[in-house]
């Protein structure tokens, strides 16, 4: 889990995240944004920064000079919400000295808790759900005129397609580009369909344009984001936006190819794939283009078909393993990561063992592992008992973490002696004399800096590793 308490930052509960500073705009009013949760929230905060800078705000990393504080939140597990509540309590204290400070909550917690944050708990002045960000300037004005402001309407259309996000890391190398919003899957444990609404895809032309703009600004990597990228589907009409079943459609494989063609030096990644929807044509496009990174995040959640059924995941253990086999067949060097939940409702020892055996069979490069956390209103909350004792959940989690650490280490050890192309992201966190970047398989590589600069590619021969990092030296080419 990533954690960093600073200014305008992203705190990622589930995936690797970077603390990132929002700075932009020329206006007199100052906006401070803090983001928690998934990459989608990170991306949304950039849309929010764009909307607010158009209204005359300048973003700041110094909360002491902020006129407006917005906190973009996550509801995926209870502890994510607890951390945000603690933070909001701190902001409430700050308001005692600074009564004109506007504090707003955005994202999934805003959508889930709605008015209660304003009325019962009186923690914030403003609540805006994930589809209401265009309304933020009005909401801030309402607060200015003495009201408390709420907009939590979910939309079937909103994709913010026309908004050019203010990049949080100006001069950055890697950017997120949202391709779908919402989720229609209704996995029984998951709160996302309730907080982010129905799934909708974004116009591919606007996606390609955004990627071209990013490349022109020096970015060399885009990650196409959606809760389930494989269900991306755009129906085009002559007017471009009216969906029409009789006209040509763009699916995810075609979209990825369009993005790969933006420039051979622009790396393409994507997240998240869904095992029930990931087709071979996506894998074939990946194999065809060198600039599409050989890395797939394919959440399994459990290795037992009965648990998968209770989770409403839409696939069996066998189906999942068939998708893994397809990846290995079509992209032999592909890295694979996953998400796993331990202690889901009714999970028996035998079902847990099935997860362990699946991990051993697949041997993931990386895994994000969680204890089941019951979320209000979800199918699981309504249908099943959260009956696996906390200590059993914890023990099972510990066990799979140990197994995964061993697997990650073995994958890294296999890389010793290999040469990888690395996109340089900047100085290594541990040493100013070293740079870091990722290889196509998404492993972090650290090497002496020489006179290399960020945003360029280099080849690195791997000499050593830890379970999390590859360590190497720069060489002339791929066969050095
Ligand atoms: N409890 C624990 N983990 C969850 N996830 C989603 N909902 C829950 C929950 N209620 C995990 C899933 C998902 C990842 C983003 O978070 O593994 O893939
Ligand atoms: Fe949640 Fe399932 Fe949708 Fe992922 S696919 S956001 S786990 S409902």
């Amino acid at each position: 889990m990533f954690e960093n308490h600073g200014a305008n930052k992203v705190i990622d509960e589930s995936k690797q995240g970077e603390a990132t500073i929002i700075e932009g705009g020329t206006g007199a009013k100052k906006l401070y944004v803090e983001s928690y949760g998934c990459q989608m929230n990170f991306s949304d905060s950039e849309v929010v920064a764009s909307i607010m800078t158009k209204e005359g705000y300048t973003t700041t990393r110094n909360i002491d000079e902020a006129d407006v504080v917005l906190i973009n939140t996550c509801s995926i597990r209870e502890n994510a919400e607890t951390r945000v509540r603690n933070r909001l309590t701190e902001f409430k204290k700050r308001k005692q000295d600074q009564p004109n400070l506007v504090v707003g909550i955005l994202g999934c917690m805003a959508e889930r808790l709605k008015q209660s944050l304003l009325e019962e708990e009186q923690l914030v002045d403003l609540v805006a759900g994930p589809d209401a960000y265009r309304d933020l300037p009005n909401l801030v004005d309402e607060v200015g005129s003495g009201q408390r402001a709420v907009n939590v309407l979910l939309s079937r259309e909103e994709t913010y397609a026309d908004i050019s996000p203010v990049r949080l890391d100006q001069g950055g190398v890697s950017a997120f580009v949202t391709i779908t919003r919402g989720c229609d899957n209704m996995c029984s444990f998951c709160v996302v369909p309730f907080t982010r609404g129905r799934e909708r895809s974004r116009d591919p032309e606007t996606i390609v344009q955004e990627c071209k703009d990013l490349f022109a600004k020096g970015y060399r990597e885009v990650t196409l984001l959606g809760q389930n990228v494989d269900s991306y589907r755009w129906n085009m009409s002559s007017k471009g936006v009216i969906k029409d079943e009789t006209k040509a459609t763009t699916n995810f494989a075609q979209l990825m190819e369009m993005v790969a063609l933006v420039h051979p030096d622009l790396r393409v990644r994507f997240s998240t794939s869904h095992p029930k929807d990931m087709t071979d044509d996506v894998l074939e496009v990946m194999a065809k283009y060198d600039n599409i990174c050989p890395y797939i995040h394919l959440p399994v959640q459990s290795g037992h078909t009965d648990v998968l059924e209770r989770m409403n995941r839409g696939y069996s253990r066998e189906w999942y393993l068939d998708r893994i086999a397809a990846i290995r067949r079509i992209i032999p060097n592909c890295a694979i990561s996953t998400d796993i939940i331990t202690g889901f409702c009714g999970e028996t020892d035998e079902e847990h063992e099935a997860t362990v055996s699946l991990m051993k069979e697949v041997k993931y490069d990386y895994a994000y592992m969680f204890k089941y956390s019951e979320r209000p209103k979800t199918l699981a909350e309504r249908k099943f008992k959260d009956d696996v004792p906390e200590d059993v959940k914890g023990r099972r989690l510990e066990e799979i973490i140990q197994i995964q650490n061993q697997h990650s280490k073995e994958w890294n050890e296999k890389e010793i002696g290999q040469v990888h192309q690395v996109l340089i992201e900047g100085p290594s966190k541990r040493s100013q004399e070293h740079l870091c970047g990722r290889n196509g398989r998404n492993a972090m590589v650290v090497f002496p800096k020489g006179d290399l600069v960020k945003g360029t590619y280099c080849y690195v021969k791997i000499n050593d590793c830890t379970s999390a990092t590859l360590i190497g030296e720069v060489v002339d080419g791929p066969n050095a």
Side-chain angles (χ1 to χ4, degrees):
M1 188 199 292
F2 182 80
E3 193 157 341
N4 185 332
H5 289 272
N8 292 320
K9 65 198 178 194
V10 170
I11 298 175
D12 195 324
E13 278 288 333
S14 57
K15 306 275 166 2
Q16 320 97 304
E18 287 277 316
T20 307
I21 291 152
I22 301 178
E23 278 193 311
T26 50
K29 293 174 286 179
K30 298 264 198 266
L31 167 71
Y32 173 98
V33 187
E34 196 169 286
S35 301
Y36 290 75
C38 63
Q39 294 159 339
M40 191 68 86
N41 267 6
F42 171 94
S43 179
D44 280 0
S45 291
E46 298 183 324
V47 167
V48 166
S50 173
I51 290 166
M52 295 299 280
T53 49
K54 282 207 186 77
E55 285 297 307
Y57 282 83
T58 307
T59 50
T60 174
R61 64 173 90 181
N62 180 2
I63 191 169
D64 293 330
E65 60 177 29
D67 302 293
V68 176
V69 170
L70 298 176
I71 174 159
N72 198 350
T73 61
C74 172
S75 290
I76 200 110
R77 281 169 290 276
E78 194 178 356
N79 58 10
E81 290 199 353
T82 308
R83 294 172 72 213
V84 168
R85 273 180 195 286
N86 293 341
R87 195 69 178 131
L88 289 176
T89 311
E90 281 172 43
F91 292 149
K92 197 175 174 184
K93 284 198 200 114
R94 182 174 281 271
K95 270 179 76 82
Q96 287 165 0
D97 300 329
Q98 229 183 308
N100 290 331
L101 179 69
V102 176
V103 176
I105 182 165
L106 316 178
C108 289
M109 262 178 95
E111 192 62 50
R112 198 177 84 70
L113 297 167
K114 304 187 168 72
Q115 269 99 335
S116 89
L117 289 164
L118 284 179
E119 287 159 12
E120 291 149 39
E121 307 182 49
Q122 304 210 339
L123 276 174
V124 292
D125 308 302
L126 177 162
V127 178
D131 290 341
Y133 299 149
R134 287 182 204 268
D135 198 25
L136 272 171
N138 298 330
L139 296 171
V140 172
D141 284 350
E142 276 181 37
V143 174
S145 63
Q147 294 155 271
R148 290 178 183 269
V150 190
N151 185 343
V152 286
L153 290 176
L154 287 172
S155 159
R156 282 176 170 249
E157 317 269 289
E158 181 64 272
T159 59
Y160 301 112
D162 55 316
I163 293 181
S164 169
V166 165
R167 295 295 159 188
L168 305 186
D169 53 347
Q170 284 175 2
V173 174
S174 185
F176 296 121
V177 176
T178 299
I179 65 164
T180 68
R181 296 183 70 82
C183 186
D184 283 351
N185 285 325
M186 299 301 276
C187 298
S188 64
F189 52 78
C190 187
V191 77
V192 167
F194 303 93
T195 58
R196 289 191 161 267
R198 300 302 299 269
E199 182 186 290
R200 61 228 103 116
S201 295
R202 176 179 168 191
D203 181 344
E205 296 304 330
T206 68
I207 295 169
V208 169
Q209 192 53 51
E210 190 173 328
C211 294
K212 285 183 178 164
D213 292 346
L214 285 163
F215 187 78
K217 286 186 186 131
Y219 285 82
R220 291 295 174 264
E221 184 173 272
V222 290
T223 302
L224 306 178
L225 279 187
Q227 306 297 342
N228 173 358
V229 288
D230 298 296
S231 62
Y232 176 86
R233 185 179 151 91
W234 178 261
N235 297 325
M236 280 182 283
S237 74
S238 53
K239 292 199 180 93
V241 279
I242 301 163
K243 298 196 175 185
D244 178 347
E245 290 294 336
T246 64
K247 298 279 162 50
T249 60
T250 306
N251 65 21
F252 180 57
Q254 292 159 333
L255 175 74
M256 192 153 56
E257 184 154 27
M258 289 161 73
V259 174
L261 289 168
V262 165
H263 198 286
D265 285 341
L266 183 69
R267 270 184 175 178
V268 184
R269 298 186 186 276
F270 53 91
S271 192
T272 298
S273 303
H274 198 301
K276 79 176 164 58
D277 295 321
M278 193 189 67
T279 53
D280 286 1
D281 62 346
V282 168
L283 304 176
E284 275 147 17
V285 170
M286 289 178 74
K288 185 168 158 196
Y289 290 92
D290 282 345
N291 58 329
I292 303 180
C293 292
Y295 167 58
I296 298 180
H297 181 62
L298 195 66
V300 65
Q301 315 297 1
S302 165
H304 199 291
T305 299
D306 293 352
V307 180
L308 291 169
E309 213 157 275
R310 296 202 290 282
M311 288 178 164
N312 199 29
R313 287 288 288 175
Y315 56 86
S316 62
R317 176 187 173 101
E318 289 67 34
W319 174 280
Y320 184 89
L321 288 172
D322 171 74
R323 295 293 73 214
I324 295 289
I327 297 171
R328 302 264 188 243
R329 183 176 71 244
I330 299 170
I331 320 164
N333 66 332
C334 194
I336 305 175
S337 63
T338 200
D339 291 343
I340 298 174
I341 298 176
T342 63
F344 183 65
C345 309
E347 189 188 60
T348 61
D349 283 337
E350 187 200 332
E351 287 168 343
H352 167 67
E353 284 312 318
T355 299
V356 169
S357 85
L358 181 127
M359 289 176 81
K360 290 183 176 163
E361 194 164 337
V362 177
K363 212 174 197 203
Y364 294 103
D365 290 71
Y366 196 83
Y368 302 89
M369 295 160 281
F370 315 100
K371 279 193 279 189
Y372 173 58
S373 162
E374 185 176 80
R375 306 311 291 134
K377 284 200 194 155
T378 54
L379 286 177
E381 189 243 9
R382 286 182 276 147
K383 228 168 126 185
F384 305 119
K385 254 200 166 135
D386 179 12
D387 55 0
V388 177
E390 205 47 35
D391 62 322
V392 176
K393 285 183 186 174
R395 229 181 303 127
R396 290 179 183 168
L397 180 64
E398 270 312 306
E399 184 185 351
I400 64 170
I401 289 174
Q402 293 296 331
I403 294 168
Q404 184 52 47
N405 284 347
Q406 182 59 31
H407 290 169
S408 298
K409 192 160 153 253
E410 285 171 27
W411 276 110
N412 275 357
E413 281 166 357
K414 269 199 216 160
E415 302 291 9
I416 293 178
Q418 305 285 322
V419 174
H420 289 283
Q421 191 194 46
V422 173
L423 173 60
I424 304 174
E425 289 178 15
S428 139
K429 287 207 175 85
R430 297 240 170 99
S431 147
Q432 283 302 308
E433 295 310 306
H434 289 75
L435 292 171
C436 69
R438 289 174 193 278
N439 65 9
R441 291 167 50 86
N442 208 37
M444 185 55 87
V445 184
V446 173
F447 47 94
K449 71 175 183 194
D451 32 12
L452 295 162
V453 285
K454 82 172 187 182
T456 61
Y457 292 96
C458 66
Y459 287 97
V460 179
K461 183 171 179 205
I462 309 305
N463 296 326
D464 199 1
C465 70
T466 67
S467 66
T469 313
L470 302 173
I471 301 154
E473 60 184 320
V474 176
V475 292
D476 289 339
N479 303 315

